[in-house]
Amino acid sequence: MSHGNMNLTLKVWRQKNTKATGKLETYKVTDISPDMSFLEMFDVLNEQLINKGEEPIAFDHDCREGICGMCSMYINGRAHGPKSAITTCQLHMRSFKDGDTIVVEPWRAAAFPVIKDLTVDRSAFDRIISKGGFISVNTGNAQDANCLPIPKPDADAAFEAAACIGCGACVATCKNSSAMLFVSAKISQLALLPQGQVERTSRAKNMVAQMDEEGFGNCTNTGACEVECPKGISLENIARMNREFFMANIKE
Amino acid sequence: MSTTSGKFLQSSLGKKLLMGLTGLFLVSFLIVHVSINACIYFNDGGATFNAAAHFMAHNPVIRVVEIGLFIGLILHAVQALMLTMQNNKARPVKYAVPAGNVSSKWYSRSMGILGSLLLLFLVVHLANFWVPTKQAVFNDMEHDTFAGLKEVFSKWYFVGVYMVGVISLGYHLLHGFQSAFQSLGLNHKKYTPMIKSFGFWFSIIITLLFASMPITMFLGLIK
């Protein structure tokens, strides 16, 4: 084993399909470089399982650079592992010590059913977006940006909300499995900009209604979502969503 | 775009609003209550305290507000129970390793338990003071509330129950006060830190004031 490399015990949730009951299985990995990402460590484990003729662990991943939001892993009681403001692919093995036991679970929420092992179905988010997470624009060329003056603070706040990658860490970490940080970011990014004004009222009502229908829990303002969000989406967005929703109900 | 209609108060955000509003309304009652309590510190054999208690028991405006208070309390508690059941359903399979205190405060996650303790305390509290006062008013008799206070707070186990109730109240407020403003949609870079620090000190001061009453009476400091 080269210097600084680690031997680790992993307890990983294995579940054949949505209907099956899963359980935590224990695996050993050896000679793990501290420079590996958490997902690369999983690649090593899967190679090991394939060589032994066992079923590899299903886990979601795509960009491996922290922008796609696929790598949903609940590691040792925290969404995306022990560091803040990162996704699982941005978590390096140097965050762990030789001999550590690491428990890896899928996102847990009724609205995010497990597909297999660590992969969950997050299409509830897509259905919420389809209810109003868009703007209606005329086709044709984009007009000159200076035609629409937007105050810098509004542009910044909209941009910060738009940084949401829809990974679902907010739902996973919330004790109530509430999706309010996600929905509020999507409502905020459009409510703050002139292009978002046309559907502003119906957007707030319809997206919240869909969120409720999907079976997410209610927000109790513990603030855990804000702490675990890889993109640092703030609770201010949830307050804005509340205002948008109240105003929408007063208007219509 | 289609319009999904749903009853406002049945929506998750409508329920949040109601929790926040009823919570703040109940907070306003605490201020009145603690002010009346403080009358014992005139240390005049309960004369000022009993005069204040008499006013509260007979003033028609207070009578109407009292009904509102019970409605507010019931709404707050029933709604909380329904929300808690809904939230439990939202995560049928729990995590093997819970998050703990890394990303949130324990009392912010324990509002249901703290609220239930408060409700149990309220049953004892109402039986101790509210019921005898009502009986006296109903029978058109003068009620010496101060004498009742002295009797209840001469027993260590009642003082213990009151301490548990008051500490639960303190932690419930510590999260609930600032949380109510967030639920009402009031979050602002400039004002939210002020609301949070006001809520923090308010929770601590009101807890200490409420706790001081049974303790000073138990120790025989109030004549």
Side-chain angles (χ1 to χ4, degrees):
Chain A
M1 195 164 92
S2 65
H3 180 70
N5 282 12
M6 300 175 260
N7 297 333
L8 301 161
T9 305
L10 294 167
K11 290 186 173 178
V12 185
W13 186 261
R14 300 303 306 262
Q15 184 173 337
K16 226 178 173 58
N17 54 49
T18 307
K19 293 213 174 75
T21 43
K23 64 174 201 295
L24 288 171
E25 296 275 3
T26 308
Y27 302 97
K28 299 260 184 212
V29 282
T30 51
D31 202 22
I32 296 295
S33 156
D35 300 326
M36 273 183 195
S37 81
F38 199 82
L39 296 186
E40 283 163 344
M41 185 271 291
F42 256 74
D43 293 336
V44 170
L45 171 60
N46 271 347
E47 285 294 327
Q48 208 173 289
L49 291 175
I50 291 165
N51 287 339
K52 276 200 280 182
E54 290 177 35
E55 179 93 4
I57 300 162
F59 65 95
D60 264 327
H61 59 101
D62 188 21
C63 73
R64 299 213 178 193
E65 55 179 18
I67 54 169
C68 78
M70 286 308 285
C71 47
S72 50
M73 287 189 188
Y74 199 79
I75 302 160
N76 282 349
R78 293 191 69 184
H80 299 135
K83 292 265 161 79
S84 285
I86 53 163
T87 53
T88 312
C89 61
Q90 294 170 304
L91 174 68
H92 288 90
M93 295 315 294
R94 54 179 169 267
S95 301
F96 300 91
K97 291 195 306 289
D98 182 37
D100 274 359
T101 299
I102 307 170
V103 182
V104 189
E105 300 172 77
W107 286 173
R108 297 278 187 213
F112 287 166
V114 172
I115 299 170
K116 188 180 181 180
D117 300 338
L118 300 172
T119 58
V120 295
D121 179 1
R122 282 168 283 188
S123 55
F125 274 8
D126 300 337
R127 289 188 290 273
I128 294 171
I129 292 292
S130 74
K131 291 290 174 178
F134 52 81
I135 54 162
S136 300
V137 286
N138 296 325
T139 52
N141 287 337
Q143 62 176 321
D144 186 86
N146 292 326
C147 290
L148 275 178
I150 300 166
K152 181 78 166 88
D154 290 352
D156 287 348
F159 186 82
E160 279 164 26
C164 170
I165 52 176
C167 65
C170 46
V171 175
T173 200
C174 173
K175 82 172 186 64
N176 310 319
S177 301
S178 169
M180 295 214 187
L181 195 68
F182 166 78
V183 179
S184 71
K186 299 302 173 190
I187 287 179
S188 287
Q189 76 182 46
L190 300 173
L192 286 160
L193 298 175
Q195 293 90 336
Q197 299 312 302
V198 182
E199 293 111 341
R200 187 170 177 175
T201 313
S202 53
R203 174 182 304 117
K205 289 177 83 171
N206 294 340
M207 289 181 79
V208 169
Q210 188 63 33
M211 168 179 81
D212 291 351
E213 205 170 291
E214 295 291 346
F216 292 105
N218 302 280
C219 174
T220 50
N221 302 328
T222 68
C225 53
E226 180 183 57
V227 175
E228 295 297 354
C229 175
K231 298 295 153 187
I233 308 289
S234 110
L235 285 184
E236 281 172 50
N237 291 296
I238 299 186
R240 185 180 297 106
M241 170 177 70
N242 295 349
R243 293 199 297 276
E244 290 291 317
F245 184 73
F246 301 151
M247 288 313 290
N249 274 280
I250 289 166
K251 280 185 201 156
E252 286 182 4
Chain B
M1 195 188 283
S2 69
T3 46
T4 314
S5 71
K7 295 243 164 52
F8 174 70
L9 284 176
Q10 284 169 6
S11 69
S12 54
L13 297 193
K15 288 181 196 150
K16 264 178 78 152
L17 178 77
L18 195 64
M19 283 305 280
L21 286 176
T22 49
L24 287 177
F25 173 61
L26 295 174
V27 164
S28 71
F29 156 75
L30 289 178
I31 300 168
V32 177
H33 189 332
V34 87
S35 314
I36 307 243
N37 282 14
C39 291
I40 65 162
Y41 296 115
F42 282 103
N43 221 350
D44 51 6
T48 316
F49 178 81
N50 270 345
H54 180 89
F55 171 79
M56 293 303 284
H58 293 86
N59 186 292
V61 178
I62 302 292
R63 294 279 55 76
V64 175
V65 175
E66 185 179 42
I67 295 165
L69 191 67
F70 273 101
I71 294 171
L73 182 72
I74 290 164
L75 276 176
H76 194 76
V78 171
Q79 182 97 275
L81 189 69
M82 288 181 354
L83 285 169
T84 306
M85 292 193 315
Q86 213 172 15
N87 292 343
N88 285 336
K89 240 175 58 186
R91 176 164 297 151
V93 185
K94 310 288 175 217
Y95 288 110
V97 184
N101 296 326
V102 184
S103 46
S104 62
K105 300 266 198 306
W106 72 266
Y107 51 84
S108 78
R109 300 191 308 272
S110 314
M111 293 300 273
I113 294 161
L114 293 168
S116 304
L117 282 174
L118 267 177
L119 204 58
L120 288 175
F121 161 74
L122 264 184
V123 174
V124 178
H125 185 43
L126 291 179
N128 279 343
F129 298 111
W130 186 77
V131 174
T133 313
K134 285 292 148 186
Q135 277 170 342
V137 172
F138 193 68
N139 297 321
D140 216 12
M141 292 190 317
E142 251 334 289
H143 179 66
D144 190 351
T145 312
F146 187 73
L149 270 184
K150 286 187 109 165
E151 200 207 313
V152 169
F153 295 143
S154 65
K155 301 188 177 77
W156 64 268
Y157 49 87
F158 273 127
V159 175
V161 169
Y162 276 68
M163 286 307 113
V164 172
V166 158
I167 290 165
S168 306
L169 173 72
Y171 279 112
H172 201 75
L173 285 175
L174 209 51
H175 176 67
F177 189 89
Q178 52 88 21
S179 173
F181 289 88
Q182 167 79 5
S183 291
L184 302 185
L186 302 172
N187 187 324
H188 189 276
K189 282 211 162 39
K190 186 172 169 190
Y191 300 109
T192 296
M194 289 185 205
I195 291 169
K196 283 192 172 171
S197 85
F198 181 85
F200 176 80
W201 289 110
F202 177 81
S203 310
I204 287 178
I205 291 167
I206 212 149
T207 304
L208 291 177
L209 284 174
F210 273 125
S212 71
M213 191 181 197
I215 290 175
T216 49
M217 294 206 101
F218 183 71
L219 296 176
L221 299 174
I222 306 294
K223 295 283 172 307

